[in-house]
Amino acid sequence: MGFFGTYLYDGDKWTPHDNDVRPDLAGPWLTVDIHDSDIATISYSPADPGTGVAYIGVTPRIYFGDETASAPTDVAREAEGLAAWREELGASAVTSDDLVDFLAEDEAEDWDSDEDSDDLADTEVFVEAKVVEFLTALSLPVPDDLLRS
């Protein structure tokens, strides 16, 4: 069994969060929802110029083998949105180029759930390890649970 967890960053700290509840915060926020160590959904607000949703690991369309599981992804657009989100916090500059390689595309050939993981790096096997690297690239703290996983 993989790792499951949902966390909300309110611009100051991380707290556990219910993924089914949209945050009711005045300022910028970001949630990370990790599903079975394979997929992480990153939701953020404000979203402009992105949609407010990006994925790390694989997208729901690929994970569930169902094109209706999520909207098609545009990693360049979401990387721009996430960089703009970070700028909204008024901290260190992060560019979309710093983030785009972390984000999952709708490419089925990139993911094989049965792949032998013995020769792969943790970031290629456990999405939570890649989320830690992503949050570091965003110059954000990391939820304690992800540091222990």
Side-chain angles (χ1 to χ4, degrees), residues 42-97:
I42 309 298
S43 302
Y44 59 98
S45 179
D48 194 47
T51 66
V53 178
Y55 303 98
I56 298 176
V58 295
T59 68
R61 295 164 65 95
I62 300 304
Y63 185 80
F64 296 110
D66 178 359
E67 288 188 13
T68 65
S70 63
T73 58
D74 181 340
V75 296
R77 180 179 177 190
E78 296 315 325
E80 294 230 357
L82 285 157
W85 174 86
R86 185 62 179 109
E87 189 174 319
E88 181 82 16
L89 288 179
S92 64
V94 174
T95 69
S96 60
D97 289 342

